[in-house]
Amino acid sequence: MAEAGQRLGQLLMRAGIITDRQLTDALEVHNATGSPLGRVLVDLGYATQGAILSVMAAQIGIRYIDFEEYKPDPNAIAVVPKELAERYTLMPIEINEAGDLVVAMADPQNVLALDDLRIMTGYEIQPAISTKDDIINAIDEFYKVAEETDSDQFIGTDEVDEDELASLTDVTSDAPIVKLVNYIIQKAVSERASDIHIEPQEYDLRVRFRVDGVLHEAMPPAPKSVQASVISRFKIMADMDIAESRKPQDGHCAVNVSGHMLDFRVSTLPTVYGERVVLRILRKDSILLRLSDLGFLPASLERFEGSFTKPYGAILVTGPTGSGKSTSLYAAINVLNLPSRHILTAEDPVEYRLEGVNQCQVNPRAGLTFSKALRSFLRCSPDVILVGEIRDQETAQIAIESALTGHLVLSTLHTNDAPGAITRLIEMGVEPFLVSSAVDCILAQRLARKLCTDCKEEYRPKPQVLIDAGYDPDNLPELIYRAKGCKKCGGTGYRGRMGVHEVLMVSEEISRLTVDEATAEEIKQVAIQEGMLTLRQDGLEKVRMGQTSVEEIVRVIV
């Protein structure tokens, strides 16, 4: 026994886990009490049980699993019942390249457990080792996901042929598939993802999440064999036709996640390797934001809020898809939503329900377009009209005319900056004099990731880097912050997003330029002289304030 303890001590010393003096002290206690050397080292605080196990595992040729560094593959979790994991204190880790199921066990020599696993799962078992406490905690954490996510509680919106579903539902109702889908949803919610992407590849199924506007791999690729079942499961949840895989479909479902009902907008698209599925997570808390929560600089916020004081006129929000335009419009509607005002909206789709606001879902297949909805609105005596997007000349014309006839109109356009919205409306066929008279304010925006407050680090950048980014050479910041990465932010260095804004107020001079059909660049120069901060200037000011990094502003604003 003493020889075994001596060998273990030497191994731990060679691994750098303990010192020679610590081994001498531990051996004295070991010889005096007869307690195992490993237990003595843990009790004396010289080594952790995990560190000792890792050395022992390397010596006997099996893997040691540290759950702080390695997260189990949900494909493996799905094939092992929780009751079996608890009975034998084991945690499924992954299905390796050889097709074996890797399982972390407190006792990897438990032949009975290995035989039961082999029979119940149909996989050859590759045992690994971890501490008993770590395995118990892992079971609680990762199996809890499937229990807290009830994907059977869903609400669909599309009509489906129930006879077609009946023959295919059995494939997607198997416990492993349900658990895998539940795990993906729960993991996405816990990581604050805005989108879930299920993407068939040639040999496997890739799962990615969009977190803070950036896509990343959410978990190891799933086997190609589960592709059809997983995609069908998502389609059934969204009440789609699972017998149709040749054309795109859209659906909606509400899922109970940890006791909270979350709405998901689901879209499918046929690709060469099968249907890809995108689930957009609609978070109701985003529509309760105030304008002051969106990251406006004080001067820009004052300019934008001032545009609401008039009882009529057009307020436009511009930017690419995913730049937060809808969130800004909803925040503005929250300001305007008073009992004394009649508010009507035309949206495609209606993603969030606003209390006290009459919302209309555009349905082009049924003949209800933005322009037709707007014409109907004008017969309902509204005070405020929200148009989800100005897409064509007819919608633009009606929106602008509505703004001139006593209505406050809010809408979005796809342009790169605020001055570009004016020239875009004119290009769509709206008369310049109507644009100059109707439009009061244009907000252009992007979404930039915020630096993680727990790990951001201060540094002194090179002056040329700041000048290249757009800073005035005579007013360079001495110290700014950059991303580092920690456990709280998932190693990215960023956590959360904020708006970067450009607020153009249509003054008399800009109205004159509009009538004269000046270029967007000419309008921009006048707007800057009148106090407008460009998107880049606004972003660089937030870098100076320590809210984001130079690299992030350069990434989102070209």
Side-chain angles (χ1 to χ4, degrees):
M1 186 172 182
E3 290 181 5
Q6 184 73 32
R7 286 198 302 273
L8 174 61
Q10 293 298 328
L11 290 171
L12 292 171
M13 278 183 55
R14 283 200 291 270
I17 294 172
I18 62 173
T19 64
D20 182 58
R21 179 55 186 268
Q22 288 174 332
L23 175 58
T24 302
D25 292 346
L27 283 172
E28 289 179 1
V29 177
H30 165 65
N31 293 329
T33 64
S35 296
L37 181 63
R39 171 55 59 190
V40 173
L41 288 167
V42 173
D43 290 343
L44 290 175
Y46 292 163
T48 64
Q49 188 179 1
I52 295 171
L53 273 181
S54 67
V55 171
M56 294 174 63
Q59 186 66 16
I60 62 176
I62 68 172
R63 287 174 59 184
Y64 167 72
I65 302 297
D66 182 353
F67 289 100
E68 286 292 324
E69 299 178 358
Y70 193 94
K71 301 303 180 188
D73 182 352
N75 300 306
I77 297 173
V79 301
V80 179
K82 182 180 180 183
E83 297 75 17
L84 192 65
E86 290 176 330
R87 184 190 313 159
Y88 293 120
T89 314
L90 56 86
M91 184 69 207
I93 299 300
E94 66 181 10
I95 300 171
N96 64 20
E97 293 181 358
D100 297 338
L101 178 63
V102 180
V103 180
M105 306 175 68
D107 179 10
Q109 295 180 333
N110 188 334
V111 178
L112 179 61
L114 294 173
D115 286 344
D116 278 1
L117 269 177
R118 190 178 297 108
I119 293 169
M120 293 196 67
T121 66
Y123 286 91
E124 288 299 316
I125 308 302
Q126 185 71 44
I129 193 169
S130 189
T131 68
K132 181 177 180 180
D133 289 343
D134 284 351
I135 291 175
I136 291 172
N137 291 335
I139 292 171
D140 288 341
E141 178 181 354
F142 295 105
Y143 276 96
K144 185 179 179 182
V145 165
E147 296 171 355
E148 290 188 342
T149 308
D150 183 2
S151 61
D152 288 327
Q153 295 187 35
F154 54 82
I155 305 166
T157 55
D158 294 347
E159 293 185 2
V160 181
D161 185 341
E162 294 183 2
D163 292 335
E164 289 182 351
L165 287 180
S167 62
L168 293 167
T169 301
D170 290 343
V171 180
T172 64
S173 60
D174 291 340
I177 296 301
V178 173
K179 287 181 180 179
L180 177 57
V181 168
N182 290 350
Y183 181 90
I184 292 170
I185 292 173
Q186 173 71 23
K187 185 174 173 64
V189 172
S190 66
E191 292 189 9
R192 304 176 297 104
S194 59
D195 304 276
I196 303 172
H197 293 252
I198 311 297
E199 302 170 321
Q201 304 298 301
E202 186 173 3
Y203 301 111
D204 52 37
L205 182 68
R206 182 167 67 169
V207 180
R208 294 195 291 173
F209 297 160
R210 187 179 296 279
V211 180
D212 294 333
V214 178
L215 278 171
H216 72 271
E217 298 276 355
M219 58 188 231
K224 189 74 173 178
S225 59
V226 305
Q227 174 178 310
S229 300
V230 168
I231 291 173
S232 294
R233 177 65 182 170
F234 280 117
K235 290 172 71 175
I236 287 175
M237 289 170 59
D239 217 3
M240 295 179 179
D241 183 354
I242 61 175
E244 177 57 74
S245 60
R246 296 168 299 174
K247 63 183 181 182
Q249 296 186 63
D250 293 296
H252 168 272
C253 65
V255 180
N256 188 333
V257 181
S258 301
H260 301 283
M261 293 302 293
L262 293 178
D263 290 329
F264 292 78
R265 194 175 79 193
V266 186
S267 299
T268 66
L269 179 70
T271 70
V272 291
Y273 296 125
E275 286 181 286
R276 77 187 303 273
V277 181
V278 177
L279 292 87
R280 184 175 182 187
I281 304 174
L282 307 177
R283 302 177 186 273
K284 291 182 170 61
D285 53 357
S286 66
I287 64 168
L288 302 176
L289 293 175
R290 298 169 298 177
L291 286 170
S292 57
D293 297 326
L294 302 183
F296 280 93
L297 293 175
S300 297
L301 178 59
E302 183 179 354
R303 287 163 67 90
F304 187 53
E305 286 185 323
S307 64
F308 301 147
T309 57
K310 293 183 180 179
Y312 58 88
I315 300 170
L316 303 177
V317 182
T318 77
T321 301
S323 60
K325 299 188 297 296
S326 296
T327 300
S328 294
L329 283 179
Y330 281 131
I333 287 293
N334 286 334
V335 175
L336 297 168
N337 190 10
L338 301 174
S340 58
R341 288 197 176 103
H342 180 201
I343 302 176
L344 288 170
T345 76
E347 305 171 59
D348 183 21
V350 176
E351 295 182 348
Y352 303 103
R353 272 62 171 178
L354 298 171
E355 186 175 354
V357 176
N358 299 284
Q359 296 171 270
C360 175
Q361 168 77 54
V362 171
N363 188 352
R365 286 183 296 180
L368 183 57
T369 61
F370 278 119
S371 57
K372 288 189 177 180
L374 269 176
R375 291 187 187 280
S376 299
F377 286 0
L378 297 178
R379 294 192 290 270
C380 298
S381 185
D383 299 304
V384 180
I385 297 173
L386 185 151
V387 185
E389 182 183 346
I390 294 177
R391 297 176 178 172
D392 52 51
Q393 192 271 339
E394 185 178 9
T395 304
Q397 188 75 33
I398 301 170
I400 292 299
E401 290 176 355
S402 300
L404 288 171
T405 55
H407 306 93
L408 185 62
V409 178
L410 290 79
S411 189
T412 69
L413 272 175
H414 285 280
T415 62
N416 289 328
D417 57 10
I422 293 175
T423 56
R424 174 68 179 138
L425 286 172
I426 295 173
E427 288 170 359
M428 292 175 76
V430 182
E431 292 292 340
F433 72 90
L434 292 178
V435 175
S436 68
S437 301
V439 179
D440 285 323
C441 176
I442 304 170
L443 167 67
Q445 68 178 56
R446 301 289 189 277
L447 289 177
R449 292 179 294 173
K450 294 191 291 187
L451 286 168
C452 174
T453 55
D454 283 14
C455 68
K456 67 179 182 180
E457 62 178 8
E458 195 176 44
Y459 75 108
R460 191 180 302 275
K462 294 180 179 179
Q464 191 58 47
V465 172
L466 297 176
I467 293 171
D468 292 344
Y471 278 104
D472 183 345
D474 298 326
N475 187 26
L476 299 178
E478 291 187 8
L479 295 171
I480 57 177
Y481 289 87
R482 62 187 170 195
K484 183 179 180 182
C486 65
K487 186 175 181 180
K488 189 170 182 180
C489 62
T492 64
Y494 299 93
R495 184 173 175 84
R497 288 193 290 177
M498 64 181 180
V500 178
H501 305 98
E502 178 177 282
V503 184
L504 184 152
M505 304 301 297
V506 180
S507 62
E508 291 185 10
E509 178 62 18
I510 291 177
S511 291
R512 185 186 63 77
L513 289 173
T514 302
V515 172
D516 293 342
E517 298 189 42
T519 64
E521 186 60 31
E522 291 171 329
I523 294 172
K524 179 179 180 178
Q525 293 305 319
V526 172
I528 291 173
Q529 293 171 13
E530 294 179 349
M532 181 188 82
L533 287 178
T534 65
L535 285 166
R536 184 171 290 269
Q537 290 170 337
D538 186 272
L540 293 177
E541 185 60 29
K542 286 163 183 171
V543 172
R544 191 189 297 270
M545 295 165 65
Q547 296 178 1
T548 188
S549 67
V550 168
E551 293 79 10
E552 180 65 7
I553 294 303
V554 171
R555 181 183 73 86
V556 300
I557 302 170
V558 294

